[in-house]
Amino acid sequence: MIVALLTDFGDSHYVGQMKGVILSNNDAASIVDITHSVPFHSVVSGAWRLLQSYKEFPAGTIFLAVVDPGVGTGRKALAVKSRNYFFVGPDNGLLFSAAKEDGIIESVSLDCEKIDKETGKRRISNTFHGRDIFARAAAIISRTGNILRVGKKNVGMIKLDVLPKKKSGLIVDIDSFGNVTTNILPPGKRKKIKFLIKQREIELKFVKTFADLERNELGALTGSAGTLEIVANQAPASQILKANIGMKLALR
Amino acid sequence: MIVALLTDFGDSHYVGQMKGVILSNNDAASIVDITHSVPFHSVVSGAWRLLQSYKEFPAGTIFLAVVDPGVGTGRKALAVKSRNYFFVGPDNGLLFSAAKEDGIIESVSLDCEKIDKETGKRRISNTFHGRDIFARAAAIISRTGNILRVGKKNVGMIKLDVLPKKKSGLIVDIDSFGNVTTNILPPGKRKKIKFLIKQREIELKFVKTFADLERNELGALTGSAGTLEIVANQAPASQILKANIGMKLALR
Amino acid sequence: MIVALLTDFGDSHYVGQMKGVILSNNDAASIVDITHSVPFHSVVSGAWRLLQSYKEFPAGTIFLAVVDPGVGTGRKALAVKSRNYFFVGPDNGLLFSAAKEDGIIESVSLDCEKIDKETGKRRISNTFHGRDIFARAAAIISRTGNILRVGKKNVGMIKLDVLPKKKSGLIVDIDSFGNVTTNILPPGKRKKIKFLIKQREIELKFVKTFADLERNELGALTGSAGTLEIVANQAPASQILKANIGMKLALR
């Protein structure tokens, strides 16, 4: 069974440790890296990238997603069974949109006693639940297909909604070129698009591609996720806009 | 069957999406990352790194290479069968040198209708053919070993030749330390090497290793690819030379 | 059999070449990336990250570790069999602590003639033994479980000891946020910890988490490896301390 990883750990041995834990608990697991360069502690970006990626994978894939600024505090840890997939990670909204889009069937709060029973006991550090809890839970699910082996039925889940919207949405990602991804769907055919962002209205050319813009000019286009992106030709749109991941914006 | 990936996407979920598409269309595919840090849009560097890597892999490997500045324009998309391997990617020269060195047997222009017939229909974005076209084509080839399942016989291919040369060649890569890789083969034993680059002649010590140079001194050595590299001791040779990937140079 | 890779090559096609060589010599090998972002030429950091990672993997895993500033000089090349694992890499201390902790059973000096006999002859470059020697040795061991197939019995090994210590240790790693990892075990419960570092005594708050420190304040905490880390709240502790990997320090 495929276990697909998405974290904000960068290329680090923390990822390597998680892979070792998975393979030690299910040597038939097939591990796939989605990305480890989610901006540090950006749950919104992690949720968006997971939402964009999960549906490309075969049914049955277990997604192990760790962007976990609340590690060591009281935040819950989750495993979610959706119509076609499994999701494992912290209860901070990271898993919500992908699981909801696919159709949530059941979720559990991870329970270290249950996990210990399956894998043998392990000391839980304060700072690295990815290795100590989540990787073991993902391995058990990849072996059994059963989230009840790793937790107790859950009463709720933090709902961070990054699903595509028609009017009001969020800046859900900023790439290394400063291109700003929103979760707002493109309106019908038109030449200009007006956004409200930080109580300011901005009107942008709605173009097909970067080359339709003057140098440094801001514009909007439909990105590979099918939502609006705000870009600039040969310049970082995020800096021009002073935009951050998580900011609200709306079509006017 | 192995599907080996080489892109300029960095560590991003775009790579993760491509992996998902491959596995969804051939769950027996074995995916290997070669590198995703080809300098952005540098077809020359991508072609060079593919040329250096392909021959290390087992016969039958499918190379899925995406460095694609022309995505969304009219550039063709290719699958190539060579004596021992398969190559899939844009028709911009990226695949040419590796396939030629191995011996090109046949090439096809990718055809989305044929691909849709094999995998089910998929909307093709303007900006991400790696996911929407190339990954599906690679998966089909990994399943069938037959490039005619993904395209129609091709009449030509863009010929970007980065193969090793005796006299006149290119700067084919620059690494993160500023070491400049050429595709020029080392001449016989000698103490100095003269290059012509940007209409300037430069004479460099021909050394075994960095340590044979003074601090900041430029020199030439034979790199791990078996071609000449221009380096400086504890300094970026690329900056000293104002060199860019793709520049021509020649031995004098 | 799993072959797990740890290098300082970054995300580069040099890693891709090594993977190709492994798969060409054992197509049943299952390759796992631990990390490729060990700080360039930092044998101490590489040894530490290997020590932290190896024990998470299933018994029988072959660790192929390449941080090799001495490549092309006379340094030996090693394969080590420990109680549960195999280690392959340069003889510069990189493999020592992990293999010692697990329990060294036997080690060999790699012998290119023996390796050539198993895989066919290969030209050995001066600069890339990872591809030309170590990857082939790891593949042979993954196929045979026998280090005598790749080398001759070894008389010694460079002993770089990064194992956890009670009093006097090293700075073994610095992460991208400037957090300083030591290999010193936390003393019992107390409010302050005194270090001797670069002949200076510093006294730090011993805290649970970053949030217990004022902005820019240095403090000590127990990291996910179970050893002391020196950190600062929202600032790079390494710069405040002018600390480098490999520096000695001691508890007072």
Side-chain angles (χ1 to χ4, degrees), chain A residues 193-251:
Chain A
I193 291 189
K194 250 191 217 164
F195 287 100
L196 185 70
I197 176 169
K198 295 198 290 183
Q199 290 146 306
R200 242 177 61 212
E201 243 181 43
I202 53 169
E203 191 178 57
L204 303 177
K205 270 197 215 160
F206 186 27
V207 297
K208 280 256 154 113
T209 164
F210 287 79
D212 300 334
L213 296 167
E214 306 294 319
R215 196 174 171 146
N216 292 324
E217 190 186 12
L218 282 173
L221 50 73
T222 304
S224 69
T227 58
L228 289 171
E229 294 187 7
I230 303 176
V231 303
N233 193 356
Q234 300 178 55
S238 58
Q239 280 180 28
I240 300 174
L241 281 173
K242 300 196 199 322
N244 294 313
I245 295 172
M247 267 185 188
K248 290 179 186 179
L249 81 177
L251 286 188

Side-chain angles (χ1 to χ4, degrees), chain B residues 4 7 27 44 57 67 72 78 90 103 108 140 151 166 187 191-192 194 200 207-208 215 219 226 228 230 239 250-251:
Chain B
T7 77
D27 60 11
V44 169
F57 280 80
V67 178
L78 295 178
V108 299
I140 295 165
K166 285 202 175 145
K191 287 200 172 156
K192 301 258 181 186
K194 251 192 217 164
R200 243 177 60 212
V207 297
K208 281 256 154 114
R215 195 172 173 148
L228 289 171
I230 304 176
Q239 280 180 29
L251 286 188

Side-chain angles (χ1 to χ4, degrees), chain C residues 76-81 86-91 95 104-111 114-115 134 137 141 146-157:
Chain C
K76 278 187 301 183
L78 295 178
V80 184
K81 179 176 164 58
F86 299 96
F87 298 88
V88 175
D91 180 25
L95 313 177
I104 295 174
I105 290 180
E106 191 169 36
S107 69
V108 299
S109 269
L110 298 186
D111 173 340
K114 282 195 167 190
I115 293 172
F134 298 128
I141 296 170
N146 185 353
I147 62 172
L148 295 171
R149 302 285 274 269
V150 298
K152 292 172 184 156
K153 276 200 194 169
N154 190 19
V155 288
M157 187 188 315

Side-chain angles (χ1 to χ4, degrees), chain B residues 146-210:
Chain B
N146 186 353
I147 62 172
L148 296 171
R149 302 285 274 269
V150 298
K152 291 171 183 156
K153 276 201 193 167
N154 191 18
V155 288
M157 187 188 315
I158 288 181
K159 291 174 177 55
L160 169 67
D161 183 350
V162 297
L163 290 159
K165 304 294 173 207
K166 285 202 175 145
K167 285 286 177 196
S168 293
L170 292 172
I171 292 175
V172 287
D173 217 347
I174 294 178
D175 71 17
S176 56
F177 302 101
N179 299 314
V180 172
T181 304
T182 79
N183 67 340
I184 301 181
L185 293 163
K189 227 180 162 179
R190 61 183 67 181
K191 287 200 172 156
K192 301 258 181 186
I193 291 189
K194 251 192 217 164
F195 287 99
L196 185 70
I197 175 169
K198 295 198 290 182
Q199 290 145 307
R200 243 177 60 212
E201 244 181 45
I202 53 169
E203 191 178 57
L204 303 177
K205 270 196 214 160
F206 186 27
V207 297
K208 281 256 154 114
T209 164
F210 288 79

Side-chain angles (χ1 to χ4, degrees), chain B residues 28 43 56 89 92 109 114 122 129 171 178 180 188 194 199 236 239:
Chain B
V43 177
E56 306 296 356
N92 57 16
S109 269
K114 281 195 167 190
R122 178 175 185 123
H129 291 184
I171 292 175
V180 172
K194 251 192 217 164
Q199 290 145 307
Q239 280 180 29

